[in-house]
Amino acid sequence: MYLGIDVGGTHTDAVALDEAGIAAQVKVKTDHADLLASVNQALAGILMTVRPECVRQLNLSTTLSTNAIVQGATEDVGMLVIPGPGIGAHEFMLCRDYHVLAGAIDHRGSETDRLDERQAQAAIKACRAAGVRVFGCVGKFSTRNPLHENTLRQQIGPQGGDGADFVTLGHELGGRLNFPRRLATAYFNCAVWRVFNTFADAVEKNLAKLGLGHVRVNTLKADGGTFPLAQARRMPVQSIFSGPAASVMGIIALCDITRDSIILDIGGTTTDIAVFVDGQPLVENDGIHIGSHPTLVRALKVRSIGIGGDSALSVLADTVRVGPNRLGPSLADATPAGAALPPGARPTLIDALNVTGACAHGNADASRRGLAEFAKAHSIRPEVLAGQAVAAAAEAIHAATQELLAEINDKPVYTIHELLEGRRVAPGRVYLMGGPAEAMQSAVRQRFELFTVVPRHAGVANAIGAALTRNTASLELFADTEKGVMFIPALRHRENVPRTYSLADAERDAMNHMLGHLSEMGVFADRDNAQVTHASSFNMVDEGRTTGKNIRVKCQIKPGVAFTLTGQPTARPAHQPPGQSTSQSTGQSTGQSTGRA
């Protein structure tokens, strides 16, 4: 049985399922001060229905790394940077303990200037004096020759003991040559390493206590795949923005999407917007930005805006607005039946939906009372204010979607499987998921004027996506037949090859090494899901004579789900935690679609 947990901004959702359907599902409030408590509460709810020995895999999507960056809860990093000639490394200064070192490797992987080891030792000493325990070491062409980065690792010392607690080497992040992106990725990988690993330690300890010590644990990545927790411990930066990836994979598991479509995951705090082209989700092929810093973290292309069920209502110059602030839960959730309204509480989108009759969530009477007071203060009739709030939310989502589509149609389109040349995206359907999805369906359909679908289990689609997402991996291989070498940066692999080494040889070796690496980690990867995404070979010429070939191959395990739940009319009986309404706990819709065909 597959278990998926998605730690969202407002709720933590969990499901247990197999090919027969959903066996159990729970929804609990996310405690941002203690995400582990939210995970444990969700697990406990699942285990009220499912026996521990039935669970074989847990896939976890968590906001932990993202929150640490947004809240400034990361730790200081020592960055040791070797730019070589032709680039001003200080332009990309990421932190206080940032040291530019002398030394150079050229684009062919030849050392043209030795690393200044005395300068490096002084930089390491300065970092340690400042209390730094994690280091990022990045050279401009280290993917072609990691000599200088490896030397820095040796100088820093073995991890643990008298050395650093953790070291990220730039060449281990992937084979692409983009120095600024590699710098930022190494920095953020170090910055969130401790907070992620502390959480991972606690998760594994608690799984053992719950009788789940035998379970294989994976973490969701931003690219729509998962990787083993042991690997996530070394590359926690890959778990950033995994929540939107769970949304996308959830809709793949629940719906048979074959055309250009818009995916809207309306949660409690935000709405995540994704776009499918010919039934495939789009990706940020170059890598996502973390703040203002571009990285090498490949991710599904998702736009998030501050519109959710708990987004606060406001009125400015007679215009009703929704979000982007979340000032607390809805009045419907915060007010016990028969109790007075919490002092100073602000109505939210959910309260407006209750007043319009689009849903009957929680204490709907509290929604009506609170919205009436708020409307009176602004001289607006409550039902008018509620209708305008729902329309404003739909308008904000529509405007953000149009902005995203304009951005997509202005650039080459990359799906999770391929580059689609000259493809203009024209969505014909909207798919809604998340707790408020069914309640917002009519407003979204009216604003988008498109066929609109709310699938069954839309309220826990993120957790379903987390549970069913397959392991993915990517790998880049480089070969220089003039030098007679082949190397795979991410695996620290280097070997001699003959001058006759060909592009076909490289493709074969890249595939074999990727599948072999996954096998060593205990991950089964079907060769049918593996593909070469780039293959190139260029002749190197000296004085009019071909001296060898420069070969590059990139391959990946395609993102996808283990199986789908499409076509299932009903779910198996699901556990519902005490005190939660059916609509909020199960998130199930009627499965109906509305709109134009």
Side-chain angles (χ1 to χ4, degrees):
M1 185 166 287
Y2 296 82
L3 181 58
I5 297 180
D6 175 66
V7 183
T10 304
H11 293 100
T12 294
D13 296 324
V15 297
L17 50 82
D18 55 24
E19 294 185 19
I22 296 177
Q25 62 189 71
V26 298
K27 184 184 289 285
V28 301
K29 291 288 186 181
T30 296
D31 182 353
H32 288 280
D34 189 355
L35 295 184
L36 181 64
S38 302
V39 171
N40 286 339
Q41 188 179 356
L43 281 171
I46 290 292
L47 294 179
M48 292 176 66
T49 302
V50 175
R51 296 194 309 275
E53 60 269 22
C54 294
V55 181
R56 64 175 184 177
Q57 177 174 291
L58 165 63
N59 286 353
L60 180 63
S61 168
T62 171
T63 59
L64 184 73
S65 297
T66 308
N67 289 351
I69 293 171
V70 171
Q71 298 167 4
T74 57
E75 70 176 295
D76 292 334
V77 179
M79 291 297 296
L80 307 180
V81 181
I82 316 163
I87 190 169
H90 285 292
E91 297 177 19
F92 311 107
M93 190 168 180
L94 293 149
C95 55
R96 177 194 64 192
D97 300 287
Y98 186 91
H99 300 269
V100 178
L101 308 178
I105 302 288
D106 69 12
H107 68 285
R108 292 282 304 281
S110 299
E111 184 183 44
T112 58
D113 189 6
R114 295 187 64 182
L115 176 68
D116 188 330
E117 297 192 20
R118 293 182 60 184
Q119 184 189 25
Q121 290 169 356
I124 295 168
K125 183 177 180 180
C127 288
R128 285 184 170 144
V132 170
R133 298 294 302 171
V134 292
F135 290 81
C137 308
V138 183
K140 181 166 64 175
F141 288 113
S142 61
T143 56
R144 303 296 169 83
N145 184 348
L147 172 64
H148 291 169
E149 289 182 359
N150 288 335
T151 300
L152 289 174
R153 194 209 305 259
Q154 293 171 358
Q155 290 196 351
I156 291 168
Q159 294 178 37
D162 295 331
D165 290 343
F166 181 65
V167 179
T168 295
L169 301 188
H171 72 276
E172 295 175 354
L173 298 171
R176 286 186 50 210
L177 289 176
N178 190 310
F179 185 56
R181 286 182 181 271
R182 190 174 303 280
L183 280 175
T185 308
Y187 167 76
F188 285 113
N189 196 56
C190 290
V192 301
W193 173 81
R194 193 177 310 279
V195 68
F196 184 90
N197 275 267
T198 300
F199 178 76
D201 289 340
V203 166
E204 291 187 328
K205 182 178 180 180
N206 281 281
L207 287 175
K209 287 182 179 179
L210 293 169
L212 297 171
H214 63 283
V215 172
R216 181 172 64 249
V217 182
N218 297 316
T219 302
L220 255 74
K221 299 190 293 181
D223 69 354
T226 65
F227 58 159
L229 186 61
Q231 188 178 359
R233 285 177 174 277
R234 299 191 301 273
M235 290 292 174
V237 70
Q238 295 287 347
S239 70
I240 290 175
F241 302 150
S242 62
S247 304
V248 171
M249 304 315 290
I251 212 72
I252 289 175
L254 293 173
C255 301
D256 185 16
I257 302 177
T258 59
R259 62 179 73 186
D260 293 4
S261 303
I262 297 164
I263 313 302
L264 302 177
D265 179 10
I266 307 176
T269 306
T270 62
T271 292
D272 295 332
I273 307 166
V275 175
F276 279 43
V277 179
D278 291 339
Q280 299 179 32
L282 300 183
V283 297
E284 297 276 9
N285 199 56
D286 292 333
I288 57 174
H289 281 65
I290 300 177
S292 61
H293 302 290
T295 72
L296 292 173
V297 179
R298 192 169 184 263
L300 298 176
K301 193 172 188 66
V302 177
R303 180 70 47 84
S304 296
I305 62 171
I307 300 289
D310 287 344
S311 294
L313 307 189
S314 60
V315 178
L316 183 63
D318 296 328
T319 300
V320 179
R321 298 187 178 184
V322 180
N325 296 325
R326 180 186 185 273
L327 304 179
S330 66
L331 297 176
D333 283 320
T335 312
L341 296 173
R346 183 84 66 85
T348 71
L349 177 60
I350 281 291
D351 294 313
L353 289 164
N354 272 345
V355 171
T356 64
C359 66
H361 172 80
N363 186 351
D365 178 64
S367 296
R368 288 188 287 270
R369 286 186 285 134
L371 205 75
E373 290 183 7
F374 187 72
K376 183 178 179 180
H378 294 282
S379 302
I380 307 174
R381 286 188 294 128
E383 60 274 14
V384 172
L385 191 150
Q388 290 180 354
V390 174
E395 173 59 37
I397 294 170
H398 179 266
T401 303
Q402 294 306 308
E403 182 180 318
L404 177 60
L405 287 170
E407 178 184 308
I408 290 170
N409 283 323
D410 194 41
K411 298 177 180 178
V413 176
Y414 291 87
T415 71
I416 57 174
H417 294 163
E418 60 187 331
L419 165 65
L420 301 181
E421 298 276 7
R423 179 70 158 78
R424 185 165 185 83
V425 183
R429 290 194 177 191
V430 179
Y431 291 85
L432 293 178
M433 54 192 289
E438 189 175 358
M440 284 293 296
Q441 182 177 14
S442 177
V444 168
R445 179 195 60 78
Q446 290 177 22
R447 186 61 191 89
F448 279 79
E449 296 185 325
L450 293 174
F451 194 85
T452 305
V453 180
V454 179
R456 187 175 296 276
H457 313 306
V460 290
N462 279 27
I464 292 172
L468 296 181
T469 297
R470 294 195 305 246
N471 283 116
T472 59
S474 62
L475 176 149
E476 289 179 271
L477 176 151
F478 300 91
D480 185 332
T481 63
E482 181 183 16
K483 291 185 174 183
V485 295
M486 179 271 280
F487 47 98
I488 303 171
L491 302 184
R492 307 181 195 174
H493 178 84
R494 191 179 185 93
E495 68 177 80
N496 295 328
V497 294
R499 290 179 62 88
T500 57
Y501 192 77
S502 67
L503 184 60
D505 294 329
E507 291 181 3
R508 178 203 63 220
D509 288 346
M511 281 287 194
N512 288 340
H513 278 281
M514 180 175 66
L515 295 172
H517 176 62
L518 290 173
S519 178
E520 290 173 3
M521 294 191 297
V523 176
F524 170 75
D526 189 343
R527 186 177 284 268
D528 291 341
N529 293 322
Q531 65 179 169
V532 173
T533 57
H534 175 88
S536 60
S537 176
F538 299 97
N539 290 330
M540 292 178 286
V541 179
D542 183 21
E543 296 182 353
R545 180 175 61 89
T546 299
T547 58
K549 295 182 182 296
N550 189 302
I551 297 171
R552 179 190 173 210
V553 171
K554 182 175 181 179
C555 58
Q556 70 167 2
I557 302 294
K558 296 180 289 187
V561 294
F563 54 86
T564 68
L565 300 180
T566 57
Q568 292 189 353
T570 59
R572 285 144 63 177
H575 168 67
Q576 178 180 325
Q580 290 191 1
S581 68
T582 301
S583 61
Q584 186 69 8
S585 176
T586 66
Q588 294 184 15
S589 77
T590 59
Q592 294 177 344
S593 306
T594 61
R596 302 178 182 178

